[in-house]
Amino acid sequence: MHNSSDIHRGGCLCANVRYVVAAPPLRSAICHCRTCRKAASSPTLPFVTFPAAAFSFERGTPQQFASSADVVRTFCGDCGSPLTYANRADLETIDVMTVSLDNPEDYPPEDHVWVSDKLEWDVIGDQLPSYPKGRTD
Ligand SMILES: [Zn+2]
Ligand SMILES: [Zn+2]
């Protein structure tokens, strides 16, 4: 990844919620699943995975939404930007919405996941690996 430094910052559109991650990213991918699409109101949701222990909000407090029993998503209650995804099945990591990072160009995706859910008109235009479900399913 282009930015393998130890400090990464991002936040929502209105900047009332800001976060910092003090660890290198673990992976970057694009999710096509229906739930991510709805959460983002977008055909895909790119995300970067970081060690959860290195993540903290440094300004504001986001709203939370449990999109399934084990999943908590956060978003800005003022402007609505989706920010993070955390799954109780993997407490070691947190996914940050790639485009909420201050420099999203630094985290190019490595693969596509949940392509089995993909919208037909959303044509993948790169040669990255793609997986019908999660990368490890
Ligand atoms: Zn906001
Ligand atoms: Zn998803």
Side-chain angles (χ1 to χ4, degrees), residues 12-17 76-81:
C12 65
L13 176 61
C14 77
N16 283 347
V17 179
C76 175
D78 295 314
C79 72
S81 299

Side-chain angles (χ1 to χ4, degrees), residues 63-74 84-88 94-95:
Q63 297 288 308
Q64 298 195 348
F65 173 67
S67 58
S68 66
D70 288 332
V71 172
V72 173
R73 294 173 188 264
T74 66
T84 68
Y85 166 108
N87 193 321
R88 246 169 252 164
I94 187 166
D95 295 340

Side-chain angles (χ1 to χ4, degrees), residues 53-127:
F55 178 94
S56 59
F57 287 102
E58 58 181 355
R59 184 194 306 161
T61 303
Q63 297 288 308
Q64 298 195 348
F65 173 67
S67 58
S68 66
D70 288 332
V71 172
V72 173
R73 294 173 188 264
T74 66
F75 61 96
C76 175
D78 295 314
C79 72
S81 299
L83 294 169
T84 68
Y85 166 108
N87 193 321
R88 246 169 252 164
D90 180 8
L91 295 172
E92 301 291 303
T93 66
I94 187 166
D95 295 340
V96 167
M97 304 314 135
T98 305
V99 183
S100 75
L101 286 153
D102 289 344
N103 298 298
E105 296 277 21
D106 288 345
Y107 313 86
E110 297 155 328
D111 49 56
H112 297 265
V113 295
W114 285 95
V115 172
S116 59
D117 269 8
K118 189 178 74 58
L119 295 175
E120 280 187 37
W121 52 255
D122 174 25
V123 178
I124 294 175
D126 59 47
Q127 303 300 316

Side-chain angles (χ1 to χ4, degrees), residues 30-37 45 47 73 85 113-114:
I30 296 175
C31 189
H32 297 258
C33 87
R34 181 182 183 280
T35 310
C36 283
R37 295 205 315 261
L45 183 47
F47 65 96
R73 294 173 188 264
Y85 166 108
V113 295
W114 285 95

